[in-house]
Amino acid sequence: MRRQFDAEGYLKARKKRTLVTAAIIAVMVPLVMAVVIWVDRTADKAKNWNSVYLALSLFIIIGTIVPFFMVFEKRKPKAREVVMVAMMSALTVTGNFAAHIVGFGVFQPGTALVMIAGISLGPEAGFLVGATARFFINFFAGQGPWTPWQMVCWGILGFLAGLIFNKVDIDKIKSRNFQIVAGPLVCIAVSIVAAYLSFLLFGKEEDTFFGWRLYLFGAVGLIIGLLIQRKRLPVDDITLSVFGFFSTFIIYGGIMNIATMVMASAIPASGVGLDWKSLKILYISGVPYDAMHGIATAFFLFLFGDRVIRKVERAKIKYGMYR
């Protein structure tokens, strides 16, 4: 006799693991980043510190595995559920590797696929796929002190996508529903206008608008817009693309520019220090790269996002992965 599915218990377990993942992001990840910074500042350049960064990267992966398996605390995990996560990780690695071989540069599908994993498999799985995929991608792209930072950035994007998007009754959702993203877009637009006014009123002669203000005010606008929206966003090509561009530009770009400052400051010849002046320069120089990264993410989400999510959802229903 088949045991009845405990929907209430499943929802409680899912909420519990989401809270645990959020706690890991808020507590464990900053501690790991602090260790990375300490290693960068105290490292003997004659030694090979890649093993330290690899250990930190593995620590991040282990930490993200824990909340994912919390959903199985009252039952044995099905191989198909683990395989789906492994498949999305492998697809992300393969997609980025193919783009790297072809020479597309930053125009790669990896970030979009991480977000798709979070939406399809849940925020915890999104973080796990993002961190794991970035770890393995860097075996051909290059391991180094940037690896833990990139893992965390991808993981956060996958986690947020899983929290923000609603994939229930996916076939009934009207595609290209622009109205649902109007609120967040208006908030971001208002924030950018506020950033420009701040530049006009308080900016110095040597300053430029295209710098840290875009990231800071954009992040504030994104957060306010999502709070005002309240309801979870639907899965359609327009909504996915808009979220993909702004989250990639603001979150990934914002964090990785700080990471660049930290890593470059450990090299005396770079002339970069752990100070506001260096960070402002990096934010200015990072705008073109981050904008192209965001455009690439939006492009792949627009073309394949909702289609891939539909396929994953149907596979989950077919193989009973909701139970």
Side-chain angles (χ1 to χ4, degrees):
M1 182 176 180
R2 185 177 179 181
R3 187 176 64 177
Q4 187 176 3
F5 175 62
D6 183 7
E8 184 178 355
Y10 178 82
L11 291 175
K12 287 182 179 179
R14 188 173 65 180
K15 183 178 181 180
K16 182 179 178 181
R17 67 173 183 168
T18 300
L19 292 174
V20 170
T21 306
I24 288 174
I25 295 174
V27 178
M28 186 197 79
V29 168
L31 289 177
V32 173
M33 294 300 100
V35 174
V36 173
I37 294 173
W38 177 80
V39 170
D40 274 338
R41 304 301 295 177
T42 61
D44 181 355
K45 299 306 175 183
K47 296 180 180 180
N48 181 11
W49 283 91
N50 280 342
S51 58
V52 177
Y53 300 122
L54 286 173
L56 291 172
S57 301
L58 288 172
F59 183 73
I60 293 175
I61 293 176
I62 293 171
T64 59
I65 288 175
V66 173
F68 174 73
F69 279 99
M70 283 178 63
V71 76
F72 304 130
E73 59 185 0
K74 294 183 179 180
R75 63 182 176 90
K76 294 181 179 180
K78 297 177 181 178
R80 66 194 70 165
E81 294 169 296
V82 180
V83 167
M84 288 295 291
V85 175
M87 181 202 70
M88 288 304 301
S89 298
L91 184 62
T92 303
V93 174
T94 304
N96 255 44
F97 181 72
H100 180 79
I101 294 297
V102 174
F104 282 177
V106 70
F107 210 81
Q108 300 172 348
T111 307
L113 289 169
V114 168
M115 293 183 182
I116 290 172
I119 297 169
S120 303
L121 305 175
E124 306 78 24
F127 194 100
L128 177 58
V129 169
T132 305
R134 189 71 250 182
F135 176 70
F136 287 105
I137 285 170
N138 279 12
F139 277 104
F140 65 82
Q143 295 282 357
W146 51 83
T147 298
W149 292 91
Q150 292 175 329
M151 291 171 62
V152 168
C153 287
W154 264 14
I156 290 175
L157 290 179
F159 181 77
L160 288 180
L163 285 179
I164 291 170
F165 280 90
N166 175 25
K167 58 184 183 299
V168 177
D169 294 331
I170 192 168
D171 289 318
K172 298 180 181 179
I173 295 173
K174 182 181 178 181
S175 187
R176 295 182 173 87
N177 184 4
F178 184 76
Q179 184 180 359
I180 200 73
V181 295
L185 276 181
V186 169
C187 290
I188 293 174
V190 170
S191 296
I192 298 301
V193 171
Y196 187 68
L197 292 176
S198 170
F199 166 69
L200 293 179
L201 294 174
F202 306 108
K204 298 180 181 179
E205 186 176 349
E206 65 274 12
D207 281 349
T208 176
F209 168 66
F210 296 99
W212 63 271
R213 289 179 177 85
L214 284 177
Y215 296 89
L216 178 60
F217 284 83
V220 172
L222 181 64
I223 293 171
I224 293 176
L226 294 174
L227 290 176
I228 292 175
Q229 180 63 39
R230 293 185 182 179
K231 295 181 180 178
R232 298 180 73 184
L233 299 179
V235 175
D236 64 72
D237 45 16
I238 290 292
T239 310
L240 284 170
S241 301
V242 171
F243 174 81
F245 173 80
F246 284 108
S247 61
T248 301
F249 182 88
I250 294 170
I251 298 174
Y252 189 98
I255 295 176
M256 286 309 299
N257 283 322
I258 297 175
T260 301
M261 179 187 68
V262 171
M263 291 181 288
S265 65
I267 305 174
S270 67
V272 176
L274 286 174
D275 52 57
W276 178 239
K277 181 179 179 181
S278 298
L279 186 59
K280 287 198 298 183
I281 295 173
L282 288 170
Y283 273 128
I284 294 170
S285 61
V287 167
Y289 178 92
D290 295 331
M292 184 57 65
H293 188 187
I295 291 172
T297 302
F299 173 79
F300 287 109
L301 284 173
F302 183 83
L303 286 184
F304 309 114
D306 60 345
R307 295 173 178 82
V308 175
I309 293 170
R310 292 174 195 271
K311 295 293 184 183
V312 175
E313 288 299 301
R314 287 167 183 155
K316 290 169 64 178
I317 294 172
K318 179 179 179 180
Y319 294 108
M321 292 174 59
Y322 284 103
R323 297 295 177 100

